[in-house]
Amino acid sequence: MLKLPLSLRTTMCLLFLFISFNSGGKLKMASAQRTWCIANPLTNISALLGNLDFACSHVDCQLIQQGGSCFYPNTPIHHASFAMNLYFQVMGRHSSHCDFRGSGLISLTDPSYESCSFHSEGDLAEAPPSATWCVAKPGSGEYILQQNINYACNYVDCSPTHDGGSCFNPTTLINHASFAMNLYYQTSAKNTASCDFRNSGLVVVNDPSKS
Ligand SMILES: *[C@@H]1O[C@H](CO)[C@@H](O)[C@H](O)[C@H]1NC(C)=O
């Protein structure tokens, strides 16, 4: 028999236990993976507000109202992402439930931050695509977004986000930071650590690029 180090054997056992426990006997690898839905950082404000209205007509958006634990940051991208995620979860996590006319991204990382928790019921209803990208958490503050830009742009070419560049619009920190963070992630080993950015990065399974 193949000799594995004890720690690896223990890990594998725990993994299988986890898989079988989660799938009610049916062995299904993806069951260990929770998924969330967020808004693409390239989405303009009118589309974000449209998504917010649409999702909140189906799910309870109390937590993003004043006094709720997810009210801050009070930005359209964060509020829309929160509502889009709840809609995605309630509808059963098919990729079509995170489409929002091409403005939704399915995340493999939990977008929760501080006291704001993004609900997840489990994995994507169908097999996720194998390619991944990295974007900033919709709830990230401006300070950390700027820090991520400063850090990542030391290593990658951020000129497309400069005035006149193809990724200049929308001129928001979250768009420019996501561009830089993704390029850093793509040019590094693409391991989860290179999209961590002190817990402000999300690994997503849809291409955030637009023409
Ligand atoms: C916002 O984006 C939507 C969808 O991509 C587009 O149809 C609309 O024209 C855009 N609105 C503005 C003001 O740019």
Side-chain angles (χ1 to χ4, degrees):
M1 178 185 156
L2 190 65
K3 281 245 183 213
L4 295 170
L6 185 61
S7 59
L8 183 58
R9 270 186 287 169
T10 312
T11 309
M12 287 175 72
C13 289
L14 286 174
L15 187 63
F16 282 121
L17 204 66
F18 186 57
I19 292 164
S20 43
F21 182 77
N22 268 272
S23 55
K26 248 189 343 188
L27 205 65
K28 199 167 127 231
M29 191 63 184
S31 295
Q33 177 68 65
R34 291 194 297 157
T35 49
W36 294 263
C37 176
I38 58 157
N40 188 328
L42 283 173
T43 314
N44 66 39
I45 291 190
S46 55
L48 289 173
L49 295 179
N51 292 351
L52 184 63
D53 276 353
F54 172 79
C56 291
S57 68
H58 291 85
V59 298
D60 180 2
C61 287
Q62 216 176 323
L63 290 180
I64 49 173
Q65 276 146 27
Q66 193 134 29
S69 58
C70 294
F71 179 66
Y72 292 109
N74 182 8
T75 58
I77 183 118
H78 168 59
H79 283 188
S81 294
F82 181 87
M84 289 160 71
N85 178 60
L86 218 47
Y87 179 84
F88 173 68
Q89 302 298 336
V90 166
M91 299 301 283
R93 294 179 313 286
H94 290 270
S95 44
S96 60
H97 300 140
C98 184
D99 183 60
F100 295 95
R101 294 185 206 172
S103 67
L105 301 175
I106 292 163
S107 175
L108 302 178
T109 321
D110 187 352
S112 305
Y113 68 93
E114 294 173 17
S115 59
C116 173
S117 175
F118 275 59
H119 184 64
S120 175
E121 306 234 338
D123 59 321
L124 191 61
E126 50 274 347
S130 51
T132 51
W133 291 262
C134 177
V135 297
K137 232 180 229 197
S140 303
E142 299 198 337
Y143 177 77
I144 190 145
L145 292 174
Q146 187 63 58
Q147 294 256 299
N148 292 349
I149 292 172
N150 297 349
Y151 176 79
C153 295
N154 278 328
Y155 299 94
V156 297
D157 175 14
C158 291
S159 59
T161 60
H162 299 165
D163 200 350
S166 56
C167 299
F168 181 59
N169 288 311
T171 54
T172 57
L173 274 181
I174 194 161
N175 174 35
H176 293 180
S178 295
F179 177 89
M181 291 160 73
N182 180 60
L183 203 52
Y184 180 85
Y185 175 68
Q186 301 297 338
T187 53
S188 64
K190 273 183 88 168
N191 50 25
T192 314
S194 57
C195 182
D196 182 62
F197 294 95
R198 285 181 288 168
N199 200 23
S200 68
L202 303 176
V203 175
V204 299
V205 301
N206 322 92
D207 187 352
S209 314
K210 287 192 178 160
S211 50

